[in-house]
Amino acid sequence: MKLAGKHNGNGQDDGTESTVKVVDFNQVRSQKLDEKRRKTERILFQNLLGVYCVTGNASIRQIQLVDVSEDGLSFVVPFDVKNPWPKEASELPIRLYFTQETYLPINAKIVNSRPSIENGQRYVRYGCTVDNTLQAYETYIQFVRFLKSFSEQAHKDEGKDSVFYI
């Protein structure tokens, strides 16, 4: 945004311009909420949810979710020369385990992959779309929405006693 310059004593503009930076608080808030959502999701993925995929000859391999959305998900697998990720895998049945015995089945289609390094370890990160024709898709959508809502409303326990009065 540009503002008109200073006025001289006779009411005329002196020709200089000054620039004022306008902060969009909605955009800043949205960025902060997105950062909080990602941190919260990673904590839940690492501590609450077991995620596995079925590959090749019906073997089950653990994967680490990185992000979920209504359209897709991304995950990483450790890079292992001796036990590489199946190169022919383009569509994967994925199991989201909420207990040791029960899981939500979804089908994912790999659309991209790239190498990455986190904490000194090599990984391959995969981006996938989620099959929206499966019966479990609506449950998956509700799970994604819950994660988003939870991350916006969750509070970190700082170990302090707090009392709520109603």
Side-chain angles (χ1 to χ4, degrees), residues 14 32 38 46 57 65 72 81 94 108 111 117 125 129 136 143 156 162 165:
D14 69 359
K32 293 285 186 188
R38 289 182 190 277
Q46 292 171 358
N57 56 358
L65 278 182
V81 175
I94 293 180
V111 292
I117 297 177
R125 183 173 179 157
T129 58
F143 172 63
K156 185 174 182 180
S162 61
Y165 295 98

Side-chain angles (χ1 to χ4, degrees), residues 12-93:
Q12 294 179 345
D13 190 354
D14 69 359
T16 63
E17 292 182 1
S18 61
T19 304
V20 176
K21 183 175 182 177
V22 177
V23 176
D24 183 352
F25 287 110
N26 289 329
Q27 182 181 13
V28 172
R29 181 178 184 274
S30 178
Q31 288 173 339
K32 293 285 186 188
L33 284 174
D34 195 44
E35 289 172 18
K36 182 179 178 188
R37 179 188 58 83
R38 289 182 190 277
K39 287 179 186 176
T40 303
E41 283 180 357
R42 288 198 178 111
I43 290 168
L44 287 171
F45 296 157
Q46 292 171 358
N47 297 305
L48 178 70
L49 194 65
V51 185
Y52 297 82
C53 69
V54 182
T55 60
N57 56 358
S59 63
I60 296 177
R61 294 184 64 171
Q62 188 169 15
I63 61 176
Q64 183 180 349
L65 278 182
V66 175
D67 195 17
V68 294
S69 71
E70 292 185 7
D71 299 324
L73 57 86
S74 65
F75 66 90
V76 295
V77 293
F79 178 79
D80 186 354
V81 175
K82 297 176 185 171
N83 188 15
W85 185 261
K87 290 183 180 183
E88 68 279 351
S90 63
E91 295 191 20
L92 303 168

Side-chain angles (χ1 to χ4, degrees), residues 41-164:
E41 283 180 357
R42 288 198 178 111
I43 290 168
L44 287 171
F45 296 157
Q46 292 171 358
N47 297 305
L48 178 70
L49 194 65
V51 185
Y52 297 82
C53 69
V54 182
T55 60
N57 56 358
S59 63
I60 296 177
R61 294 184 64 171
Q62 188 169 15
I63 61 176
Q64 183 180 349
L65 278 182
V66 175
D67 195 17
V68 294
S69 71
E70 292 185 7
D71 299 324
L73 57 86
S74 65
F75 66 90
V76 295
V77 293
F79 178 79
D80 186 354
V81 175
K82 297 176 185 171
N83 188 15
W85 185 261
K87 290 183 180 183
E88 68 279 351
S90 63
E91 295 191 20
L92 303 168
I94 293 180
R95 298 177 177 185
L96 304 175
Y97 280 85
F98 291 88
T99 70
Q100 289 184 351
E101 296 88 25
T102 59
Y103 64 90
L104 179 66
I106 59 172
N107 284 344
K109 181 178 181 180
I110 297 174
V111 292
N112 61 55
S113 66
R114 65 178 171 86
S116 67
I117 297 177
E118 293 180 28
N119 299 323
Q121 185 170 352
R122 292 173 62 184
Y123 291 92
V124 179
R125 183 173 179 157
Y126 293 90
C128 305
T129 58
V130 173
D131 183 351
N132 62 5
T133 63
L134 289 180
Q135 188 173 6
Y137 180 72
E138 183 58 34
T139 305
Y140 171 78
I141 291 296
Q142 294 302 323
F143 172 63
V144 171
R145 290 177 183 160
F146 164 78
L147 285 175
K148 181 178 180 185
S149 180
F150 175 77
S151 67
E152 291 174 359
Q153 301 303 319
H155 297 275
K156 185 174 182 180
D157 184 350
E158 302 289 345
K160 299 176 185 173
D161 292 335
S162 61
V163 179
F164 293 97

